[in-house]
Amino acid sequence: MWLLDRPSRRYRDERGWLRGAPPPRWVRVLPVALLAAITVATLVSPDALDIGFLLGAVPPLAVLSYGPLMTALLGVLVVVVLNVPATQLNRPGNTDLLTLAFVAVLSVFVAYVRSHRDAQLDTARTVAEAVQRAAVPPPPDRVGAVACTGLYRAAEQGTLVGGDFFDVREGPYGVRAVLGDVQGHGLSAVATVVSLLGAFREAVLDQPDLHSVAARMDRRLVVDSAAVRHAELFATAVLLEFSADVRSVRIVTCGHPAPVLLHGVRAREIGAPAGLPLGLGVGAIDPPKEVTVALGTGDRLVLASDGVWEARDTSDAFYPLVARLTELALEDSAALTERVWTDLVRHCGTVRDDVTMLVLASSPA
């Protein structure tokens, strides 16, 4: 299950209205409520109230929520209210009237610019979302005899694009999976992610073992670095290969934390030797060590990016992923990743790195 299949609405909610999401209801109601409050206050007061200056705030507040037409309508109402005899505000000086009229016209112009800018930003976000889905497509619920659940949250504010990647593919040598983290994040990392995933998908079909798959990905980054002056492309990754009966899994780590094995209500990090990151060109000289782990019925493997493992709180303490997974071991995979994400945000407050999780479970037909 892919937890960005409901991206747009959920993602806008997480961005917050000051970062591009639609404004909350109270912001939309505020200019209308202020205009109504001023009108009612002046109508019910037996004495003239010198509060006409507050009307000048209505058009600028409307800009936050409305387009040019609604802003213009509120601006006209402001001028009308100012000149209605019953409100006792009908003796403004020419300067006051001209000031309010100027503010209203200026607000309409700003609303026009803002609405067009918002439309451009929405288009850019849609393109970014399409790029992310093309680079890291949603995994199916099952790949062969392996059930898959993925979660992706990009650190780049206002985008869905990051530097993490994962994929699960079935080939002639079994079901293989990869999760990794390239140098940097945001749009600058997209090209590297695309290259690595392309190399992985080809290697799944051609290479007989995980060492060869890692070597193919390493070579891809080396070649890409050679084409760019002063490039320092590298990536960490963990690769998995399930046996045909899904009773065991082979694991190779390239500078990346090993998976966590969930066995019943227990969680433990698999002790896989850490190899060198991809892109250093030393895979053929010092290939990463492979470990084989037996899998029981109901066992799950949890792969997480550096954004999870290295998240810190205000006291500089790392996020205790293994301990949290132990507490949440009875949750299904989709709920598990969501609970970890919520807990991670609570732990560190502001997530500053891409966060990716992949849960793989043996699910024989």
Side-chain angles (χ1 to χ4, degrees):
M1 180 178 180
W2 175 249
L3 295 182
L4 279 181
D5 274 344
R6 303 155 290 173
S8 299
R9 179 182 305 172
R10 176 175 191 153
Y11 178 66
R12 281 193 287 265
D13 292 342
E14 290 179 353
R15 278 184 292 152
W17 72 281
L18 293 179
R19 293 188 297 173
R25 179 170 299 179
W26 68 267
V27 176
R28 298 194 294 270
V29 171
L30 186 58
V32 179
L34 179 60
L35 178 60
I38 295 172
T39 304
V40 171
T42 54
L43 289 176
V44 301
S45 175
D47 301 318
L49 298 177
D50 190 17
I51 58 173
F53 68 94
L54 294 176
L55 293 171
V58 173
L61 289 175
V63 172
L64 297 175
S65 305
Y66 301 109
L69 291 179
M70 186 62 180
T71 303
L73 176 60
L74 289 172
V76 170
L77 290 177
V78 163
V79 175
V80 169
V81 169
L82 189 66
N83 288 276
V84 170
T87 64
Q88 304 184 65
L89 297 173
N90 60 328
R91 293 189 299 275
N94 289 334
T95 300
D96 295 336
L97 181 59
L98 290 175
T99 298
L100 287 179
F102 175 76
V103 170
V105 172
L106 182 61
S107 297
V108 171
F109 173 73
V110 174
Y112 174 81
V113 174
R114 182 195 60 78
S115 62
H116 280 68
R117 183 69 57 85
D118 286 351
Q120 292 177 343
L121 290 176
D122 286 341
T123 301
R125 292 189 187 102
T126 302
V127 171
E129 187 173 328
V131 169
Q132 181 62 53
R133 288 176 172 274
V136 188
D141 293 342
R142 290 173 57 98
V143 178
V146 178
C148 310
T149 300
L151 178 142
Y152 193 106
R153 298 288 187 273
E156 192 79 12
Q157 292 184 353
T159 73
L160 288 175
V161 180
D164 289 356
F165 62 93
F166 62 79
D167 200 4
V168 185
R169 297 277 167 162
E170 186 173 21
Y173 305 101
V175 175
R176 289 172 171 173
V178 64
L179 183 143
D181 183 2
V182 307
Q183 175 193 22
H185 51 78
L187 291 172
S188 61
V190 173
T192 306
V193 167
V194 171
S195 293
L196 281 174
L197 285 177
F200 170 76
R201 290 161 186 166
E202 288 294 324
V204 164
L205 301 176
D206 301 333
Q207 302 302 322
D209 54 62
L210 285 182
H211 296 114
S212 301
V213 176
R216 176 74 66 87
M217 298 173 70
D218 178 75
R219 186 182 68 177
R220 179 71 268 166
L221 282 189
V222 171
V223 172
D224 290 348
S225 294
V228 180
R229 187 179 182 184
H230 303 308
E232 296 180 357
L233 295 180
F234 65 90
T236 63
V238 55
L239 296 97
L240 287 75
E241 179 181 289
F242 290 86
S243 62
D245 59 3
V246 205
R247 295 297 183 183
S248 65
V249 61
R250 288 177 286 276
I251 301 172
V252 165
T253 64
C254 302
H256 198 90
V260 176
L261 176 64
L262 280 179
H263 178 72
V265 295
R266 296 178 54 195
R268 67 175 179 89
E269 186 178 359
I270 296 173
L276 294 173
L278 303 172
L280 301 183
V282 295
I285 301 174
D286 185 19
K289 306 299 185 293
E290 180 182 285
V291 297
T292 301
V293 178
L295 297 176
T297 303
D299 284 356
R300 290 178 289 176
L301 292 165
V302 180
L303 291 71
S305 66
D306 293 344
V308 180
W309 287 103
E310 299 180 1
R312 306 189 188 200
D313 61 10
T314 54
S315 64
D316 218 29
F318 287 106
Y319 179 70
L321 177 61
V322 177
R324 293 293 190 267
L325 289 176
T326 300
E327 297 170 2
L328 302 171
L330 296 179
E331 301 278 1
D332 64 73
S333 296
L336 177 70
T337 53
E338 279 290 358
R339 292 284 298 278
V340 171
W341 165 251
T342 302
D343 189 56
L344 182 71
V345 173
R346 187 183 303 113
H347 175 81
C348 59
T350 301
V351 178
R352 303 186 182 279
D353 197 2
D354 303 323
V355 170
T356 304
M357 295 184 66
L358 182 63
V359 181
L360 303 174
S362 59
S363 179

